[in-house]
Amino acid sequence: MTKYQRRKAVSFMLAVTCAIVALSGFGQNSFADETEFPRGESVDVKVMSYNIHHGEGTDRVLDLERIAQVIENSEADIIGLQEVDNHWSSRSNFEDQANTLAKRLGMFYVYAPNLDNAPLIEGEPRRQYGTAILSKYPILDSENHKLTKIGNTEQRGLLEATINVKGNQVHFYNTHLALTSAEREIQIREVNELAGQVKGPKIIMGDLNAKPESPEMQLMISNYSDAFADKPAAYTYSSINPTVRIDYIFTTDNIETVNAEVIRTLASDHLPVTAVIKLERNEPFNNGQK
């Protein structure tokens, strides 16, 4: 074999290796490689918002597999998770929970740490706490936007991801807002501003820590469609005796909600909410363009 032939053989093997890695991307914090997708197909997609309380149920037992089973049984396609630990502490066995769930469910994922602390022992991974997005469909890109906080309160964020759903470019937002009304009002204004910078279908979800009748929630309700607008008793907290609705799924007007429900489970202190949405055909798009 000549030197030129050996070089061609090595290049071929590298190309094959890269292809295998790309096809095995489930459960990895990675994005799709395609530069162009065809015109989108009309498709129904089931989305979920779930505050998983770092995998601890109302029985005070840490059981991430129980969370995985709730998601799996729901048959949700795209999930926004809140209160997700990443090597955080012994309360979650220092586990990378987003990665574990993504591998278990065979999904793509992105993780957004809103708290990012040094490890307890030098050389170990950083201790993080935040939100995550799991998706059966390729995640093209993502960004975590830190939201304004007042004083020495917990840092909150808005995790934004662009997802390719059978050729439809969907902008997906997941958040966990503050405990005070004043902070939430500032943060909801920022969410609206950030989401308003892109065109196309959008889904905004999360634990907003506010009742629907709260003044700050009117900023969301006036700009987006509430998937549970016709279900005033869709209470999500606490999971043992739910009496308030603080977990939401919002969409833009160009997305139709076919069905929405609250799932009863004691795997976390919150109940997960799901909605089946209908995406209409989109024009072809380029990867990464908003």
Side-chain angles (χ1 to χ4, degrees), residues 233-245 262 264 271:
Y235 302 139
T236 62
Y237 188 83
S238 69
S239 57
I240 293 179
N241 180 30
T243 56
V244 295
R245 179 159 80 106
V262 179
R264 296 305 297 264
L271 297 178

Side-chain angles (χ1 to χ4, degrees), residues 53 153 206:
H53 193 228
T153 56

Side-chain angles (χ1 to χ4, degrees), residues 87-223:
H87 307 294
W88 179 253
S89 71
S90 59
R91 74 178 185 185
S92 51
N93 292 331
F94 292 93
E95 190 170 11
D96 182 345
Q97 294 189 318
N99 180 271
T100 297
L101 287 170
K103 286 183 176 178
R104 163 65 175 79
L105 296 165
M107 293 185 173
F108 299 97
Y109 83 102
V110 289
Y111 180 72
N114 292 313
L115 301 183
D116 187 6
N117 297 342
L120 298 177
I121 301 174
E122 187 176 353
E124 291 188 347
R126 293 188 66 80
R127 301 168 53 242
Q128 299 176 327
Y129 171 79
T131 62
I133 294 172
L134 308 179
S135 175
K136 291 180 181 178
Y137 299 103
I139 300 173
L140 305 182
D141 57 40
S142 71
E143 183 177 359
N144 191 40
H145 307 274
K146 294 297 178 65
L147 300 176
T148 298
K149 65 191 192 81
I150 299 176
N152 193 31
T153 56
E154 182 180 314
Q155 179 65 61
R156 309 286 176 159
L158 176 69
L159 175 55
E160 174 185 5
T162 306
I163 301 174
N164 170 44
V165 181
K166 295 187 177 181
N168 298 291
Q169 183 176 212
V170 179
H171 301 287
F172 192 93
Y173 301 85
N174 178 32
T175 192
H176 184 191
L177 298 187
L179 298 177
T180 67
S181 178
E183 275 187 289
R184 287 195 299 269
E185 180 175 348
I186 295 171
Q187 291 169 354
I188 289 176
R189 291 185 185 278
E190 291 175 333
V191 169
N192 284 339
E193 180 181 355
L194 288 164
Q197 294 174 6
V198 299
K199 297 180 180 179
K202 305 168 197 172
I203 303 166
I204 302 174
M205 63 169 55
D207 174 2
L208 304 191
N209 271 319
K211 298 177 182 179
E213 62 271 20
S214 302
E216 62 271 25
M217 285 303 300
Q218 305 315 305
L219 298 171
M220 286 298 300
I221 294 170
S222 62
N223 285 282

Side-chain angles (χ1 to χ4, degrees), residues 24-39:
S24 61
F26 290 120
Q28 299 183 17
N29 196 17
S30 58
F31 306 114
D33 293 332
E34 297 94 335
T35 55
E36 273 194 36
F37 295 91
R39 178 187 294 274

